[in-house]
Structure formats: C-alpha cells, structure tokens
Amino acid sequence: MEYALMFFIIILYTFQSFFCKTYSQNYPGREDLSSPVFTVVSGFVVAVTTSLFAGKGFSASWQTVLLSVLCAVSLIVYNTSLIKAAATGPYSVVMVFGISGGIILPAISSAVFGVIPSLVKVLCILVILASVYLISRKGNETYTNKKVFFVTCFMLAVANGVYCSLFDIQQRFSGAEEKEEMVALTYLFAASASAVMLAVKEKKSFFPAFRQNKKSCAFLIVCSLIVALAINLLTLLISTGFDLTLLYTLENASVYVLSVVLSCIIFKEKLTKLNVIGCIVLCVALVVMSLYG
C-alpha cells in the first residue's frame, strides 16, 4: 500500500513539474515575476484546500506553528536560490545540489532519531547523485559568477533538505494528527511572505503581475491543486512510518528522471548519450535501493 501511494506521489510531482514549466512558458508578464506569482497563488490554494478537506477543526500546537514558519522560510529560500543559481552557473550542478539536499539532510534527520541508513542505501545515493549530474549535463556549461553560484547552490541544498525534514520532525513532536495544520500553515506563511516581498519590490506592477491569459491561468490552477494533493499525500505517507531516506530518494530522483523523459516526449528536448547513460544508471540504483536498501 505504501509503495502504491509512493508511486502516485511521484506521478503527481512529475506532472507538477511539467505544469509549472508550461505555466512559466505561457505566463504573459515579465519572466522574473512568474515564480513569485506562482508561490503566492499556489500557497493560498494549498492552504485553503488543505483546511477545507481536513475534515476536522483547525488546531495547531505552538510546535507546529513554529515548524511551519521555518518550513515556509525554507520554501521561499529554495525558490529564490533555484532561480539565482540557475542564472549564474550550469543547471547540472544546480540539480545535484538541490536533489542531494533533499536526500541527505532528511537521512541525517532520521539518523538523529535512531534510523541509520544501511551501507547499500548510502552507496545507492552516491550513484544516484552522480547520475543526476550525468542526466543534467549538456556540455559548454559556463559560470557567470562562481562565488554567487556555489553560495546559492549551498542555500538551495540546505533549504530543500530542511523543507523535507521538517514535515517528519513535526509529526515526531506534535503528532500525525496535526499534519494538515502543518501543510496549511506552511503554505499560508510562504504565500503571505512572498506577497509582501513582491509588493515591496514591485510597487507599481504588483497587481498587474497576477494577470493571466487563459492558458497560464489554467496551468496555474491545475498545478496549484496538484501541489495541494501531493504534499498532503506525502505527509500522510510520512505518518505511516515509511523509511524517510528511501522516501525522499525515490521521490526526488524519480520525479527528476520522469520529468526529463516527459520533456523529451512533449517538448522534444534531446538527450545526449551521457544523459541516457545517467538515466539508466539512476533507475538501476533506485531498484537496488528499493529491493536491498
């Protein structure tokens, strides 16, 4: 049952990535405003839908509130760092940092609570990260500012790792019964903070930034609903006691490689031989980790 749920979550996050990319391509405003607008809209959609469908009264302990604030900050830092890192250096390295943070820090968090990853898992993770680099590498990659690039990549890795870890930590401290409150508050805080920052930065173009055409609006709404469903199912899976290291390795790596395949099919993006080898090695490592890790 857990693996079936895991598979469904991977599919959801893969389509989230696809719809988010399609939304950005159809966004009618300035390119740099599409991401903060998405954070604001999707954040409020997740907060509202999670609260409506929780099926209970909204009650959050101070621990859940505090952890949701930290989680919201990590989400904002992740989005900001991803944009900055991608603009100053090779995307292949950006992806390795982002995915490594989403795998390694939750593994460390689990180890703190006594769940130590096996040697097989550690070796598979190293192979997976090397494969991500091979899949992302396109050749002729350059840096516009190495110092800024590696600082933002480090921030990206930490932010992704903290974000992933905090949902598990919240359930350990406050209990699984507050998982919906954690999701709703995290995205409410993230959306509110992003809206304030956007308003301060773009005083005159704040409201025009939210104008959408039919295509971008449709993709924005669909993607936001997928985010809401995916994050709620992910916290549900965490509450079952599913191995956190395996969970985030499967989720991060599988979503990435499926997104690459989807881009090849729909956007006609081409893969080099090195990219194909990376995909094959990554899939083998995931299978080995699932069966023997």
Side-chain angles (χ1 to χ4, degrees):
M1 179 62 185
E2 286 89 353
Y3 278 95
L5 184 56
M6 179 76 258
F7 177 76
F8 187 51
I9 291 170
I10 289 171
I11 296 299
L12 284 175
Y13 275 119
T14 301
F15 278 100
Q16 176 194 325
S17 177
F18 165 71
F19 283 122
C20 187
K21 183 175 182 177
T22 311
Y23 152 73
S24 298
Q25 291 176 338
N26 288 278
Y27 177 69
R30 275 172 27 207
E31 185 179 350
D32 62 310
L33 296 180
S34 66
S35 181
V37 167
F38 175 78
T39 301
V40 173
V41 174
S42 63
F44 283 120
V45 169
V46 173
V48 171
T49 54
T50 301
S51 299
L52 287 176
F53 292 102
K56 60 178 182 177
F58 194 91
S59 177
S61 63
W62 67 269
Q63 293 98 328
T64 296
V65 174
L66 176 60
L67 291 172
S68 64
V69 170
L70 295 175
C71 204
V73 171
S74 68
L75 183 59
I76 294 171
V77 172
Y78 174 83
N79 290 335
T80 305
S81 301
L82 180 60
I83 294 170
K84 189 66 176 178
T88 54
Y91 186 68
S92 58
V93 181
V94 174
M95 291 310 301
V96 171
F97 270 89
I99 292 178
S100 63
I103 294 173
I104 295 172
L105 287 186
I108 294 173
S109 173
S110 292
V112 170
F113 290 102
V115 184
I116 310 297
S118 65
L119 179 60
V120 173
K121 278 183 184 173
V122 174
L123 292 175
C124 285
I125 288 171
L126 294 176
V127 172
I128 287 167
L129 295 180
S131 301
V132 169
Y133 178 76
L134 293 178
I135 297 169
S136 307
R137 188 169 176 79
K138 298 299 180 183
N140 300 320
E141 297 173 328
T142 58
Y143 299 88
T144 58
N145 189 321
K146 274 194 174 184
K147 184 178 180 181
V148 172
F149 175 73
F150 283 107
V151 168
T152 51
C153 277
F154 177 76
M155 291 171 61
L156 176 72
V158 172
N160 194 25
V162 169
Y163 172 82
C164 293
S165 301
L166 285 175
F167 285 102
D168 174 63
I169 293 172
Q170 178 272 318
Q171 294 192 25
R172 293 181 185 275
F173 279 97
S174 307
E177 64 273 7
E178 291 187 16
K179 61 183 183 295
E180 290 87 2
E181 284 82 354
M182 177 70 177
V183 171
L185 289 173
T186 292
Y187 280 85
L188 177 62
F189 290 145
S192 301
S194 296
V196 170
M197 289 189 292
L198 186 61
V200 171
K201 184 181 178 182
E202 305 287 340
K203 294 182 178 67
K204 293 183 179 180
S205 57
F206 175 74
F207 289 107
F210 288 88
R211 290 174 184 164
Q212 307 287 332
N213 56 41
K214 289 182 179 179
K215 282 188 176 180
S216 67
C217 184
F219 286 119
L220 178 59
I221 293 172
V222 171
C223 191
S224 298
L225 292 173
I226 290 176
V227 173
L229 179 57
I231 188 60
N232 277 285
L233 290 179
L234 184 66
T235 55
L236 175 63
L237 187 56
I238 291 173
S239 70
T240 66
F242 195 90
D243 186 326
L244 204 65
T245 303
L246 181 59
L247 168 61
Y248 283 120
T249 303
L250 287 173
E251 189 252 317
N252 280 278
S254 298
V255 169
Y256 177 61
V257 75
L258 286 176
S259 297
V260 169
V261 172
L262 203 61
S263 293
C264 291
I265 296 172
I266 297 176
F267 298 116
K268 307 301 179 183
E269 295 184 5
K270 294 183 179 180
L271 296 178
T272 65
K273 290 182 179 179
L274 205 61
N275 300 152
V276 174
I277 291 172
C279 288
I280 295 171
V281 173
L282 186 146
C283 291
V284 171
L286 287 176
V287 171
V288 172
M289 187 173 178
S290 300
L291 295 176
Y292 305 107

